[in-house]
Amino acid sequence: MTWSISSCFITLFVLFLWRVEDIAEACSCSPAHPQQAFCNADVVIRAKVVGKKVVEAGNDVYGNTIKRIKYDIKQIKMFKGPDRDIDAIFTAPSSAVCGVTLETNGNKEYLFTGKLETDGTMHVTLCDFIESWEAMSATQKKSLTQRYESGCKCKIIRCTSIPCTISAPEECLWTDWVMEKSHSGPQAQHFACINRSDGSCAWYRGIAPPKKEFLDIEDP
């Protein structure tokens, strides 16, 4: 009986360590408004995924081979990035380390935001804004060409509980979570936080460019 109890304890301890390691490796990131994702990204493109394979990307500090998923893509339009087409994107091999899983049949169009590595390759994670092109609102699509970029000097503050306030005139308060319990609410779908002539920032709704009257007034 003593041996059985000890064995159970060892088994439970091993499972505990495995679970701790699993939690430690879990991907975690703070939700971002589409405008924030655009402004923070090195590359923003619309593309289809046409292929997938596992590739080696060097070794870690222990000498273990680092695996990456390479997605071959067909770029449709670049909204931000280098002066060349992107033909592949790379991601980690599992969601536990923020890897992204994508459809590879070439039928689905995506909007990708991501980072450029030092070797010129594009890398994406679960923390980037990656969305089906079809699921995006008309305002989001239109904002990719000018609106979001014009507000990159603004700071969007995510409200997670009430009360919440801004502390500077160049900030916009993002309240989708407290109002809708979703990070894809009206402000994410239909608004951009843009600079005005006095240096402050304010939410602007609509597809058309902001009128001069909106930019010049002190309050939206």
Side-chain angles (χ1 to χ4, degrees):
M1 180 63 66
T2 302
W3 181 87
S4 178
I5 293 174
S6 299
S7 298
C8 289
F9 175 79
I10 292 172
T11 301
L12 289 172
F13 183 69
V14 170
L15 287 173
F16 172 77
L17 290 179
W18 174 83
R19 187 56 187 159
V20 168
E21 182 179 357
D22 183 55
I23 293 172
E25 291 185 354
C27 178
S28 177
C29 46
S30 179
H33 187 277
Q35 177 177 319
Q36 290 174 296
F38 177 95
C39 294
N40 292 335
D42 297 322
V43 183
V44 181
I45 56 174
R46 176 184 175 186
K48 293 181 178 181
V49 182
V50 296
K52 172 186 177 181
K53 63 180 177 181
V54 179
V55 297
E56 295 184 358
N59 300 92
D60 61 20
V61 293
Y62 303 105
N64 301 313
T65 301
I66 300 172
K67 301 288 187 179
R68 291 286 182 266
I69 302 297
K70 177 187 178 184
Y71 287 105
D72 295 312
I73 65 170
K74 181 180 180 181
Q75 179 178 306
I76 299 171
K77 184 177 179 63
M78 178 175 287
F79 300 99
K80 181 181 180 182
D83 188 22
R84 58 178 174 82
D85 283 356
I86 301 293
D87 58 13
I89 56 176
F90 295 81
T91 192
S94 74
S95 60
V97 284
C98 296
V100 178
T101 300
L102 304 168
E103 294 183 21
T104 58
N105 56 19
N107 295 325
K108 186 174 183 178
E109 295 183 11
Y110 290 95
L111 178 79
F112 294 104
T113 67
K115 298 295 184 182
L116 274 184
E117 300 295 332
T118 54
D119 61 1
T121 58
M122 181 177 176
H123 188 84
V124 298
T125 73
L126 286 175
C127 298
D128 294 309
F129 185 76
I130 299 172
E131 184 62 272
S132 162
W133 184 257
E134 184 179 357
M136 294 179 62
S137 70
T139 302
Q140 287 176 325
K141 294 175 181 178
K142 188 69 175 179
S143 295
L144 292 168
T145 58
Q146 182 180 6
R147 187 76 50 73
Y148 288 159
E149 186 175 9
S150 70
C152 282
K153 292 183 179 179
C154 298
K155 185 176 182 181
I156 297 175
I157 304 298
R158 183 169 66 98
C159 179
T160 57
S161 62
I162 295 176
C164 52
T165 61
I166 59 174
S167 58
E170 64 273 12
E171 297 176 347
C172 289
L173 195 61
W174 182 23
T175 59
D176 278 345
W177 180 250
V178 293
M179 301 298 291
E180 308 288 336
K181 295 303 177 186
S182 169
H183 292 111
S184 298
Q187 284 180 312
Q189 292 285 328
H190 306 295
F191 287 81
C193 177
I194 63 173
N195 281 109
R196 296 193 295 183
S197 59
D198 63 355
S200 66
C201 295
W203 290 113
Y204 181 82
R205 176 173 182 156
I207 297 177
K211 295 181 179 179
K212 187 176 185 300
E213 290 79 5
F214 174 83
L215 296 175
D216 286 345
I217 60 177
E218 293 184 358
D219 296 308

